[in-house]
Amino acid sequence: MSNDAVIDPAEGAGPDNSGRRRFLTATTAVVGAVGAGFAAVPFIKSWNPSARAQLAGAPVTADISGLQEGQRLVLEWRGQPIWIVRRSPAILEALPTLDDQLRDPMSENPEQQPDYIREASPQLRSLKPEISVLVGLCTHLGCAPEMVAEIRPEPFDANWKGGYFCPCHKSKFDMAGRVYQGVPAPTNLVVPPYYFEDDNTIVVGVDPSATDATGAA
Ligand code: FES
């Protein structure tokens, strides 16, 4: 079962044609959710970038009103997969306890997220605690990490607190995209610029501190 929904911006997620926005796999997203736990399925199976979308650099708008705890919405911006995840209270509670196992727990590498997002929360790396937005590419060699969001022992980590596991070379990231120590990936996953247009609408690809856009609080 998949906990992923996918938006293809070439099909209408952009600001100019948001009326035609659609979820390509919304059904599987609903079926796959079981509370905060669910089976992790590599998004790459359902992510299907088009040539038009890969070339597009325009911001992408996403409606997250249907995004349940533990679910991930996958969309595309500048040819990259963008993950939007609603984190559970248990995940949010676990994140600060991981700091001493991480390479950059306070997001001090300025290349990996916009300043205004680090300022909002260097540990959660998000504007709203429960909503995480990440570029879904491993910072080692660019593979697609798997989301393994349940807090439970895993073969690759007996004390797993939920996060992303890259099977290519076994890099691990927490549910804020912070990289663990002792893995090949050198840096945290990238947080793209984004802001909230309203409670349920995220615009990815716009830094509100560099424009007149609002809603970043
Ligand atoms: S590409 Fe992810 S660990 Fe190597």
Side-chain angles (χ1 to χ4, degrees):
M1 292 189 297
S2 170
N3 49 283
D4 292 344
V6 179
I7 287 177
D8 180 350
E11 294 290 340
D16 294 332
N17 46 13
S18 58
R20 294 191 291 123
R21 179 188 315 146
R22 62 173 178 153
F23 289 83
L24 300 183
T25 58
T27 302
T28 55
V30 172
V31 172
V34 183
F38 37 77
V41 176
F43 81 92
I44 201 71
K45 288 182 179 176
S46 55
W47 183 60
N48 187 23
S50 69
R52 273 190 300 155
Q54 288 197 348
L55 290 173
V60 178
T61 300
D63 178 358
I64 61 166
S65 57
L67 192 65
Q68 304 297 311
E69 275 184 12
Q71 283 188 326
R72 173 173 56 175
L73 179 64
V74 182
L75 53 96
E76 183 183 344
W77 172 66
R78 292 187 175 173
Q80 305 172 102
I82 302 295
W83 298 341
I84 302 176
V85 175
R86 188 180 294 276
R87 297 177 290 203
S88 68
I91 290 289
L92 295 176
E93 200 173 314
L95 283 171
T97 71
L98 298 173
D99 285 8
D100 63 359
Q101 303 174 52
L102 306 174
R103 214 188 287 275
D104 182 12
M106 298 305 286
S107 301
E108 293 178 83
N109 184 335
E111 304 297 317
Q112 301 312 107
Q113 65 284 308
D115 288 346
Y116 71 93
I117 290 177
R118 181 185 184 280
E119 287 162 9
S121 177
Q123 290 170 300
L124 301 181
R125 307 182 75 223
S126 59
L127 297 178
K128 292 185 177 183
E130 69 275 22
I131 302 296
S132 174
V133 183
L134 296 168
V135 175
L137 296 173
C138 182
T139 54
H140 180 220
L141 296 176
C143 286
E146 296 175 359
M147 186 166 76
V148 187
E150 289 182 324
I151 299 176
R152 68 180 185 191
E154 292 289 343
F156 52 83
D157 189 334
N159 295 306
W160 188 241
K161 302 297 184 189
Y164 303 97
F165 176 67
C166 187
C168 297
H169 311 93
K170 304 189 183 340
S171 287
K172 299 184 298 180
F173 306 85
D174 71 6
M175 288 297 289
R178 300 181 299 173
V179 68
Y180 278 75
Q181 297 168 7
V183 301
T187 58
N188 295 341
L189 298 179
V190 171
V191 178
Y194 70 92
Y195 71 96
F196 286 87
E197 195 169 79
D198 57 43
D199 279 353
N200 287 313
T201 307
I202 292 183
V203 181
V204 176
V206 177
D207 179 346
S209 67
T211 70
D212 290 329
T214 58

